[in-house]
Structures are given as structure tokens and as C-alpha cells.
Amino acid sequence: MERGMVEAPGFTGAGIDRADHLRLDPERLVQLAGDPAARLLRLDGLDPLLDAEGRLCWQRVKGGEEMIFLGLQAGEPLFAPVPNVEPGQAGWSVMALIAQMRGEEAALWGGARSLVEWHSRHRFCGLCGGRTSLFRGGWGRKCKGCGADHFPRVDPVVIVLAEHDGRVLVGRQHRYPPGRYSALAGFVEPGESIEEAVARELMEEAGIVATDVRYAASQPWPFPGQLMIACLATSASDSLRLDAQELEHAMWVDRAGVEAAIAGAPGAPFLAPPPYAIAHSLLRHWLGA
Ligand SMILES: [Zn+2]
């Protein structure tokens, strides 16, 4: 890895050709679904269904059900079903599954999960309340009442490591597992740039003034459809004023402490985020920078 580069974050690198031009061709989509090489992703609700080796499970395309055309992988058409699922917060159990998965398969499943959950939330039109139906190979829904087109949404979230005098700020939310700390994060609001969102989040959650905001990397996060935008920022001071609603605790950690946490060493000052989370990539990036 080149110095200063961020290694491939989790949920990236699916390695498929999304073949956008095929989404607009309904006849071609029917042909692709009928291709003997076509495969349909198997899901357990929204969770991945894995075999004994931790690989994604696939089945033949049966037809007759709503499907998303994920794209082409080595020329093979890949589809995901659109089951009736209850949208909602992912449990910790799916995280244990993700930890077993190869990065490219987690990326493929993650994109499908975001899209499947989006479909389940958009069966009715936000304009007229009419029923919607899937179009564009599953990359949109069209209202049967007013004809409005609806497209999958991606919500940008900034996630930031503030640094001051050789230490970085990590915080823990109330819902985290014991010992876990991570970079601070929050949704980008309408009318905000990434830099402004970073500065606001650090002020709101930790009471620090951020300068010199630098983009590091990004990652799709499929719970349900965020784009995590990882940044570094400099803080002029290390005095904190925490928002108790958002953070249970926060602390400045030096290089040795971050190294110990990333290594999972006994006695590390905190439990690092899992490797598939971009906060993990960001901490490693800071160590290598
Ligand atoms: Zn409508």
C-alpha cells in the first residue's frame, strides 16, 4: 500500500459491471434472467445466506417475481430478489456474518441489501400515495397513479478523526458493545458541504473547533443506505464539551494506543471498530500518515 493511501474499505470492491445501459431495456432484462448462467442471490430476510465457507449462496432464476438486476460478473447476470421484508435496524448478528465474508462478497450483498430495503420502504408514492412498481431493472420505482419516478437514495454521513498534538479523538455511543470506541459521525444536512458537516459534528458532539478538514476515503454502509465519508480534521484544543445524548464518553488517544487497539492487544485503551467499518480504515490511515 502506498503511504498515505487508505486500503480498500469494507463493502467496496464488488467487482461487477453494473451495466446501467441494460437496465433501460426490459426485453434484454428478460433475456438476461433467462440466461442459464443467471444467478439469483439468496437472502435470509435482508441478511446474507452463507454456506459453510462463508460464501454467498445463489440459486437459479425462477422468474415471475420482482428482481433487481445487480449487473454482470464475468459475463454472468446477477439478480437479487425483492422480498417483502420489514425495514429496520440491523442486529449485531448480521455483523458476525459480515466478519466471515470476503470483502467483494460483502460489497455485493451490501449493495443488494440497501436496494432491497429501499424497495420495501417505497411501495407507495410519496407524492400521491399510489402504488409503485419496480422499473429500470430494480434501480427505481414508478408510481402507477401519477407516474412519478422514484430512485434509490443514498444518505451521506461524515465520519471524522479529529487530531490534536499527536492524538486522535474517539468516542463511544450508548449502544456500542462494551469497550468499543470509534470516530465521530453524523449525517450531512441539506445545504451543507462535507467540510461544514465535519465542523458542525465536532462542535455539536465534542465542543471542539475543527480546522483543516481533509477527505480520506469513503464507504457504502448498507444499514440502510449511507455513504460514509471519512475525513481527518485538526482541532486547535483538546478540551472537550460532550453532548451526552450522542456520546457516552470520548477521549484522546495517542499513536501507541491506536496501534494497540487496531492490533486487538490486551490492555489497549479501547476496542477498535471491526475491519469492515471505515472507522477502522481511518484509524489505520492515521497511523500510516
Ligand atoms: Zn404518485
Side-chain angles (χ1 to χ4, degrees):
M1 188 176 71
E2 196 178 319
R3 188 175 166 82
M5 295 281 285
V6 178
E7 62 191 285
F11 299 110
T12 65
I16 55 166
D17 171 6
R18 290 169 174 249
D20 175 73
H21 62 288
L22 299 176
R23 298 172 186 168
L24 290 168
D25 186 342
E27 283 179 25
R28 188 82 180 94
L29 286 173
V30 170
Q31 279 177 7
L32 289 168
D35 187 323
R39 287 183 289 152
L40 181 69
L41 183 64
R42 294 185 65 191
L43 294 173
D44 174 13
L46 287 165
D47 292 352
L49 196 65
L50 302 181
D51 68 14
E53 275 83 49
R55 305 293 303 265
L56 288 172
C57 296
W58 300 84
Q59 64 186 52
R60 292 284 302 274
V61 175
K62 289 175 290 199
E65 60 182 328
E66 282 198 326
M67 293 190 305
I68 298 159
F69 173 54
L70 297 174
L72 302 169
Q73 188 174 56
E76 295 182 355
L78 301 185
F79 292 86
V82 185
N84 271 316
V85 289
E86 277 292 310
Q89 184 75 30
W92 292 114
S93 62
V94 72
M95 303 300 173
L97 294 177
I98 294 163
Q100 301 174 35
M101 294 170 75
R102 297 175 186 216
E104 65 274 18
E105 294 207 335
L108 192 57
W109 165 77
R113 186 203 188 279
S114 285
L115 215 42
V116 168
E117 182 160 352
W118 176 80
H119 280 283
S120 71
R121 291 175 188 271
H122 291 82
R123 300 204 177 274
F124 294 92
C125 178
L127 295 173
C128 77
R131 282 194 177 276
T132 60
S133 60
L134 174 153
F135 82 130
R136 283 185 69 102
W139 294 84
R141 295 189 75 86
K142 185 179 275 297
C143 177
K144 292 177 174 175
C146 71
D149 294 341
H150 300 278
F151 296 102
R153 58 184 281 179
V154 174
D155 297 317
V157 171
V158 290
I159 179 160
V160 56
L161 267 185
E163 50 184 349
H164 176 82
D165 197 19
R167 296 181 299 163
V168 286
L169 181 64
V170 292
R172 64 170 275 112
Q173 298 178 10
H174 304 274
R175 63 185 177 85
Y176 283 0
R180 165 76 47 79
Y181 281 73
S182 188
L184 272 48
F187 285 96
V188 179
E189 295 187 342
E192 249 181 352
S193 68
I194 292 170
E195 292 82 355
E196 287 168 334
V198 164
R200 178 180 53 77
E201 283 294 334
L202 287 175
M203 175 52 72
E204 284 177 3
E205 293 192 13
I208 58 177
V209 177
T211 59
D212 190 26
V213 177
R214 285 150 286 148
Y215 169 82
S218 69
Q219 152 186 80
W221 183 252
F223 307 104
Q226 284 90 284
L227 176 67
M228 309 297 293
I229 303 164
C231 297
L232 294 168
T234 303
S235 174
S237 155
D238 62 358
S239 95
L240 301 174
R241 193 191 65 246
L242 298 187
D243 174 353
Q245 298 282 329
E246 293 282 339
L247 293 177
E248 184 181 278
H249 186 239
M251 59 186 177
W252 296 94
V253 183
D254 64 13
R255 177 168 295 270
V258 172
E259 279 172 352
I262 289 291
F270 65 99
L271 184 67
Y276 54 80
I278 201 164
H280 186 103
S281 311
L282 190 56
L283 286 162
R284 292 180 73 103
H285 172 63
W286 179 72
L287 288 174

